[in-house]
Amino acid sequence: MKNFIIPPDDVPQEVQGKITHWSQWIDYWAVDWNYRDDTFHNEWQSYRSKQNPKIDLTVSHVYDNEGNYTVLIKVIDILGNDTTKVIHIAIK
């Protein structure tokens, strides 16, 4: 993950002032490595907890076979908003 932004109109001013890095907007994110335009299957995730407030910003995956894959990334921000991004990749 390289960047994540919440529209400033949605964020209380006191929260905006405490954010120093874009990753602080993210509470949780997950990846479905083989999304098939139906149900999201949470195959990997990173989330914050009180014991571990740091969140992973990178992940890798190895596919067993060549082919075209659709990856769905789901992000839950600190305000509880759900954002998804679809990425199409070709493995050769």
Side-chain angles (χ1 to χ4, degrees):
M1 187 158 322
K2 294 182 180 178
N3 197 354
F4 183 79
I5 299 172
I6 297 176
D9 296 344
D10 295 343
V11 182
Q13 200 67 22
E14 64 272 9
V15 173
Q16 288 184 34
K18 294 179 182 179
I19 302 296
T20 59
H21 189 266
W22 63 266
S23 64
Q24 292 173 301
W25 292 116
I26 301 169
D27 191 43
Y28 163 91
W29 69 292
V31 180
D32 181 343
W33 298 111
N34 195 19
Y35 182 67
R36 298 178 191 261
D37 292 325
D38 56 4
T39 303
F40 175 79
H41 297 279
N42 184 343
E43 297 178 292
W44 179 91
Q45 69 276 325
S46 181
Y47 55 90
R48 298 181 190 281
S49 67
K50 289 188 181 196
Q51 294 80 17
N52 186 13
K54 202 168 190 185
I55 196 164
D56 293 323
L57 297 177
T58 59
V59 63
S60 63
H61 180 74
V62 176
Y63 289 93
D64 294 331
N65 300 306
E66 293 182 351
N68 296 315
Y69 294 89
T70 302
V71 177
L72 185 86
I73 301 167
K74 182 180 288 265
V75 177
I76 308 296
D77 66 38
I78 60 174
L79 301 175
N81 299 313
D82 185 323
T83 302
T84 57
K85 172 116 178 152
V86 173
I87 300 172
H88 300 282
I89 60 172
I91 304 299
K92 298 180 181 186

